[in-house]
């Protein structure tokens, strides 16, 4: 094999190695909707989120203690800001999945794959290509059908919350990529501060009267299955996922990160249908196909390649 061929293949191999962790994140996030739905009710959202993040936060703090001590004030503020956005994402997603199906949740959140390049284009003032705009329209049409899988009715509150979560994810990716204060800080330290800020948001919300059960009350009511679901959400969907995302966004573009995470709805739909026994119905099935087709088509016209 010639040296030219080997040199051409090397970047592709490096790209695959860099992309594989993001694909694994997409898989565990796809399963997270069914897991969250199985352990959460409308009255336990804040409590479950406190438990989910509190499990991994001490581990991160101990492992990254040296890095935390070296963070500058601007880096603390930047990571704290990202944590507030992260907290909003999880509140929207968790309240949303409680009020819709795991399949709907995963497919609607995939619109992040369309929203991020559009927002990136707005920030950089570079107009997206026509085919990408058409793909975005196709995805939106798919979501409309998807949210009416059982018949032509109004979208549920959960569907709308998941749509807002997709927008919040877009903000998180763009801010993380462009916030200069956090660019030269350690990934572990930034992840720790982010999650700490998010836990503070959830703890304050859980302490407000009328917002639901306290975290310790939620924990006392958990059985083995609920604890298993919580550990899955904490270790894989939180610790592993966000460490990988922050590592990857420094090595590629925001659009590419969202595109690789765009396989998430496939896993969400597979888990919801195969494990959760969910059904889409004819309109919903057509909507799911349109969402996946639109996001795939849009991926090919973002200007991001392997």
């Amino acid at each position: 094999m010639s040296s030219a061929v080997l040199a051409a293949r090397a970047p592709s191999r490096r790209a695959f190695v860099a992309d594989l962790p993001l694909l694994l994140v997409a898989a565990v996030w796809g399963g997270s909707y069914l897991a969250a739905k199985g352990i959460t009710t409308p009255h336990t959202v804040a409590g479950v989120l406190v438990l989910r993040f509190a499990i991994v936060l001490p581990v991160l703090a101990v492992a990254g203690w040296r890095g935390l001590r070296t963070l500058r004030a601007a880096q603390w503020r930047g990571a704290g800001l990202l944590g507030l956005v992260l907290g909003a994402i999880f509140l929207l997603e968790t309240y949303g999945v409680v009020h819709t199906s795991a399949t709907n949740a995963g497919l609607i959140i995939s619109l992040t794959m369309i929203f991020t390049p559009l927002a990136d284009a707005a920030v950089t003032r570079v107009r997206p290509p026509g085919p990408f705009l058409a793909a975005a329209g196709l995805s939106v049409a798919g979501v409309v059908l998807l949210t009416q899988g059982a018949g032509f009715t109004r979208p549920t509150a959960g569907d709308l919350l998941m749509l807002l979560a997709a927008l919040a994810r877009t903000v998180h990716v763009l801010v993380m990529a462009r916030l200069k204060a956090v660019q030269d800080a350690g990934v572990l330290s930034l992840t720790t501060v982010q999650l700490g800020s998010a836990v503070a948001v959830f703890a304050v919300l859980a302490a407000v009267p009328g917002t639901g059960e306290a975290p310790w009350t939620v924990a006392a009511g958990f059985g083995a299955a609920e604890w298993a679901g919580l550990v899955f959400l904490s270790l894989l969907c939180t610790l592993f996922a966000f460490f990988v995302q922050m590592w990857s966004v420094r090595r590629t573009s925001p659009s590419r990160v969202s595109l690789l995470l765009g396989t998430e709805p496939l896993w969400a739909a597979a888990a919801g249908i195969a494990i959760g026994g969910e059904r889409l119905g004819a309109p919903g099935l057509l909507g799911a196909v349109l969402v996946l087709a639109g996001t795939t088509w849009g991926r090919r016209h973002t200007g991001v390649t392997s």
Side-chain angles (χ1 to χ4, degrees):
M1 188 176 295
S2 69
S3 59
V5 173
L6 289 174
R9 287 188 177 182
S12 295
R13 290 173 181 170
R14 288 195 296 270
F16 174 78
V17 171
D19 291 349
L20 184 58
L22 280 171
L23 293 175
L24 292 176
V25 168
V28 297
W29 274 358
S32 70
Y33 301 105
L34 192 61
K37 195 172 182 66
I39 68 173
T40 314
T41 70
H43 302 291
T44 63
V45 169
V48 167
L49 287 173
V50 170
L51 294 173
R52 172 178 177 175
F53 283 78
I55 287 176
V56 299
L57 193 57
V59 178
L60 287 173
V62 171
W65 178 247
R66 182 176 299 179
L68 288 171
R69 294 179 61 184
T70 63
L71 288 179
R72 302 188 302 273
Q75 292 172 328
W76 278 94
R77 290 193 297 270
L81 173 63
L82 288 171
L84 295 179
V85 179
L86 183 62
I89 292 170
F90 273 95
L91 285 170
L92 290 167
E93 286 186 357
T94 309
Y95 275 113
V97 79
V98 167
H99 295 288
T100 189
S101 68
T103 302
N104 269 28
L107 288 165
I108 293 173
I109 205 71
S110 71
L111 288 178
T112 303
M113 200 160 115
I114 297 296
F115 293 157
T116 301
L118 287 175
D120 200 20
V123 171
T124 60
R125 298 183 179 181
V126 177
R127 180 181 174 84
F132 176 82
L133 295 176
L138 189 66
S139 297
V140 172
V143 167
V144 173
L145 287 173
L146 172 67
T147 57
Q148 300 167 24
F152 288 92
T153 60
R154 291 183 179 179
T156 67
D159 296 326
L160 296 178
L161 288 172
M162 294 308 301
L163 188 61
L164 291 175
L167 291 170
R169 277 198 187 189
T170 296
V171 172
H172 187 259
V173 172
L174 292 180
V175 173
M176 186 162 50
R178 287 176 167 79
L179 194 61
K180 293 182 179 179
V182 302
Q183 293 303 310
D184 58 347
V187 173
L188 180 58
S189 301
L190 293 179
T191 302
T192 303
V193 177
Q194 274 198 85
L195 297 186
S197 298
V199 168
V201 171
F202 306 144
V204 169
L205 182 61
V208 175
T211 57
E213 298 179 14
W216 48 86
T217 304
V218 175
F222 274 2
E226 287 78 13
W227 279 110
L230 185 66
V231 168
F232 170 77
L233 290 170
S234 297
L235 298 185
L236 291 180
C237 302
T238 303
L239 182 61
F240 169 72
F242 282 96
F243 184 85
V244 167
Q245 189 180 17
M246 290 200 68
W247 173 84
S248 297
V249 80
R250 295 180 175 187
R251 289 161 175 79
T252 183
S253 70
S255 295
R256 185 173 183 83
V257 171
S258 289
L259 292 175
L260 290 168
L261 294 178
T263 58
E264 178 183 342
L266 297 175
W267 298 99
I273 294 171
I275 301 175
E278 297 177 353
R279 295 292 181 268
L280 290 177
L285 183 60
L286 176 58
V289 170
L290 291 180
V291 169
L292 295 176
T295 51
T296 301
W297 188 17
R299 175 179 180 173
R300 296 175 179 175
H301 293 280
T302 57
V304 180
T305 63
S306 298

